[in-house]
């Protein structure tokens, strides 16, 4: 470490001491004891010096959601366009761990989740307005609310996509995929991740952890088209435009006839024609590929602010951030939450953000995390 680095470490030690008296052990021992934390702060200082962060950086609402809201690992988060409510799709008592799946199949002996897995939160107070979904899901993942207020969810254990009509706690006739049976044909999914819905009822499914493809269906649930293939995660050489390694999230920009895909493990966003108004879907348009991103877990499009924007969350820590980017690929800001008390622990920044949503007026951004188990509300200045 050079002299500048040592000087910064010394300054951080002084700051860590908070101006208090010298610790009982010597400064050398203190530095070694706290070196991981100090190096992490150094890394974050290096990033903070970059021009990505500016005065437009949003701030976390400190008392949102309400204190009595108990949430498991967050699979999906969305805003209901009919009333602005925030919908959370979480895993309750269940956690996705190394033993959750045997190959592509959900490990036997695990029943449905006993908790209500779908929560409707008041966007202002963060209080629960409604909850349901107990004894229905096995491993919640993606969540979308269409323009009519219908809820669309994916369950990676069930290998299914289902739609809940507005106001209903039971799915409609649109339940696609065979329960607990993974596959790669036209009638099966394998751990589908997300859904995007057009105003005419057509919808897209990112499928997903196993198949690496995007599928487009009409409003009755009949397959229209599909594209993409799964890459070899350890491959060397350039990737093709429709090669995915976990297409994890979708963002539809309907006015521009664009569907964008968060290609998670490749750390990029791939955008294609959406096939609106009789055009053909799946033609490559452009890529947003920035070394700053790391793994791109989720994306959301917003056209209600002063400019059109794509929001994304990356991760896991220490490369976990919330980004705002314009449609040319220019990063407007990058941010992370400040220290937050989570379950009695002081947790710095994001852990593993998993999904993102934007309010109807474009002012608020909501994130859901796997680690720690929480949702956050960011207010843009």
């Amino acid at each position: 470490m050079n002299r500048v680095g040592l000087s910064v470490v010394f300054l951080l030690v002084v700051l860590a001491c908070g101006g208090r008296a010298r610790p009982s052990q010597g400064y050398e021992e203190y530095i070694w004891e706290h070196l991981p934390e100090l190096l992490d702060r150094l890394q974050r200082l290096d990033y903070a010096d970059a021009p990505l962060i500016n005065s437009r950086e949003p701030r976390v609402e400190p008392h949102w959601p309400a204190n009595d809201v108990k949430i498991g690992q967050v699979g999906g988060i969305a805003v209901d366009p009919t009333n602005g409510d925030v919908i959370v799709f979480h895993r309750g008592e269940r956690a996705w761990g190394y033993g959750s799946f045997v190959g592509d199949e959900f490990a036997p002996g695990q029943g449905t989740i006993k908790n209500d897995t779908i929560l409707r939160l008041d966007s202002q107070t963060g209080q629960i307005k409604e909850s349901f979904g107990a004894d229905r899901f096995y491993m919640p993942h993606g969540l979308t609310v269409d323009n009519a207020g219908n809820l669309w969810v994916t369950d990676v254990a069930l290998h299914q996509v289902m739609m809940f009509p507005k106001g209903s706690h039971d799915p409609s006739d649109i339940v696609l995929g065979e329960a607990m049976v993974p596959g790669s044909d036209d009638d099966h999914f394998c751990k589908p991740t997300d859904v995007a819905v057009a105003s005419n009822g057509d919808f897209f499914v990112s499928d997903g952890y196993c198949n690496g493809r995007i599928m487009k269906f009409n409003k009755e649930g009949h397959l229209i088209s599909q594209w993409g293939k799964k890459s070899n995660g350890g491959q060397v050489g350039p990737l093709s435009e429709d090669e995915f390694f976990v297409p994890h999230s979708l963002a539809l920009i309907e006015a521009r006839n664009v569907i964008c895909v968060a290609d998670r493990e490749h750390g990029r966003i791939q955008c294609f024609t959406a096939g609106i108004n009789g055009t053909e879907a799946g033609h490559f348009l452009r890529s947003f590929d920035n070394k700053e991103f790391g793994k791109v877990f989720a994306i959301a499009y917003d056209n209600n602010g002063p400019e059109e924007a794509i929001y994304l969350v990356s991760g896991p820590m220490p490369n976990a951030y919330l980004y705002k980017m314009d449609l040319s690929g220019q990063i407007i800001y990058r941010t992370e939450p400040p220290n937050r008390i989570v379950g009695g622990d002081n947790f710095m920044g994001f852990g593993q953000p998993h999904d993102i949503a934007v309010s109807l007026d474009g002012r608020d951004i909501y994130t859901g995390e796997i680690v720690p188990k929480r949702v956050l509300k960011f207010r843009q200045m």
Side-chain angles (χ1 to χ4, degrees):
M1 183 178 290
N2 59 28
R3 181 178 298 177
V4 173
L6 286 172
S7 299
V8 175
V9 167
F10 179 79
L11 176 60
L12 286 171
V13 170
V14 173
L15 292 174
C17 294
R20 299 185 301 269
R22 177 184 178 122
S24 57
Q25 72 268 47
Y27 277 116
E28 182 178 351
E29 293 83 358
Y30 186 84
I31 290 174
W32 282 111
E33 178 182 340
H34 295 272
L35 187 59
E37 175 190 354
L38 297 173
L39 290 176
D40 181 66
R41 293 191 190 184
L42 276 176
Q43 182 184 37
R44 293 172 186 271
L45 281 176
D46 289 340
Y47 280 124
D49 289 338
L52 301 178
I53 297 176
N54 58 38
S55 60
R56 302 178 68 180
E57 185 179 350
R59 299 292 182 262
V60 172
E61 292 286 283
H63 302 295
W64 197 99
N67 291 333
D68 60 348
V69 177
K70 306 301 179 186
I71 293 175
Q73 292 183 342
V74 179
I77 190 166
V79 172
D80 187 336
T82 67
N83 55 21
D85 288 346
V86 180
I87 317 297
V88 180
F89 192 33
H90 71 109
R91 296 172 186 160
E93 62 196 14
R94 179 144 302 153
W96 188 344
Y98 289 109
S100 297
F101 290 85
V102 179
D104 295 333
E105 296 185 2
F106 196 54
Q110 305 177 80
T112 56
I113 298 171
K114 304 305 178 184
N115 316 92
D116 281 345
T117 52
I118 297 177
L119 306 180
R120 179 179 292 271
L121 305 180
D122 185 282
S123 62
Q124 298 303 312
T125 66
Q127 294 178 333
I128 296 176
K129 299 175 67 174
E130 178 186 36
S131 68
F132 63 98
D135 286 315
R136 184 180 295 278
F137 300 104
Y138 291 82
M139 193 65 76
H141 199 276
L143 168 69
T144 300
V145 187
D146 66 24
N147 290 333
N150 305 309
L151 273 61
W152 299 73
V153 301
T154 70
D155 186 311
V156 293
L158 283 169
H159 307 286
Q160 287 184 312
V161 174
M162 44 183 94
M163 188 268 273
F164 289 75
K166 179 179 175 62
S168 175
H169 294 177
D170 296 306
S172 70
D173 292 338
I174 298 182
V175 178
L176 303 184
E178 184 177 356
M180 296 296 184
V181 179
S184 57
D185 58 27
D186 292 354
D187 299 314
H188 291 82
F189 304 107
C190 190
K191 299 178 184 173
T193 53
D194 199 16
V195 180
V197 186
S199 57
N200 68 353
D202 291 351
F203 60 96
F204 303 81
V205 176
S206 47
D207 180 42
Y209 284 88
C210 320
N211 291 326
R213 62 181 174 175
I214 308 302
M215 306 175 75
K216 182 178 181 180
F217 299 83
N218 67 15
K219 62 182 179 180
E220 286 81 27
H222 301 304
L223 184 65
I224 299 174
S225 62
Q226 60 182 302
W227 69 93
K229 55 184 177 292
K230 184 178 180 178
S231 74
N232 177 355
Q235 74 182 49
V236 178
L239 297 165
S240 65
E241 296 161 346
D242 64 346
E243 200 168 3
F244 304 115
F245 193 28
V246 189
H248 199 256
S249 176
L250 298 173
L252 178 62
I253 310 176
E254 190 165 358
R256 294 179 176 267
N257 190 27
V258 174
I259 181 75
C260 292
V261 183
D263 187 10
R264 192 185 82 179
E265 297 299 304
H266 291 147
R268 62 182 185 171
I269 301 170
Q270 300 295 95
C271 297
F272 304 85
T273 56
I276 305 297
N277 297 327
T279 60
E280 188 174 356
H283 291 291
F284 177 75
L285 295 173
R286 69 156 300 163
S287 177
F288 297 98
D289 188 357
N290 190 312
K291 65 180 181 179
E292 296 286 342
F293 291 161
K295 297 180 180 181
V296 180
F297 275 76
I299 54 178
Y301 166 72
D302 174 57
N303 66 346
N304 295 310
E307 67 275 303
E308 291 181 272
I310 293 177
Y311 295 89
L312 68 98
V313 283
S314 65
M317 65 179 307
N319 298 310
Y321 294 97
L322 160 63
Y323 291 87
K324 182 178 182 179
M325 176 178 67
D326 66 26
L327 266 58
S328 73
Q330 178 69 35
I331 294 175
I332 299 171
Y333 61 68
R334 180 196 61 216
T335 190
E336 61 182 338
N339 291 1
R340 299 265 296 183
I341 302 299
V342 180
D345 297 324
N346 195 17
F347 199 94
M348 175 179 283
F350 284 118
Q352 187 174 335
H354 196 259
D355 203 7
I356 186 169
V358 186
S359 65
L360 302 182
D361 61 5
R363 186 176 182 183
D364 299 326
I365 308 160
Y366 303 92
T367 60
E369 291 176 79
I370 298 293
V371 180
K373 302 170 184 175
R374 66 179 177 181
V375 293
L376 295 176
K377 176 182 179 179
F378 291 80
R379 173 60 59 93
Q380 302 199 81
M381 306 307 289

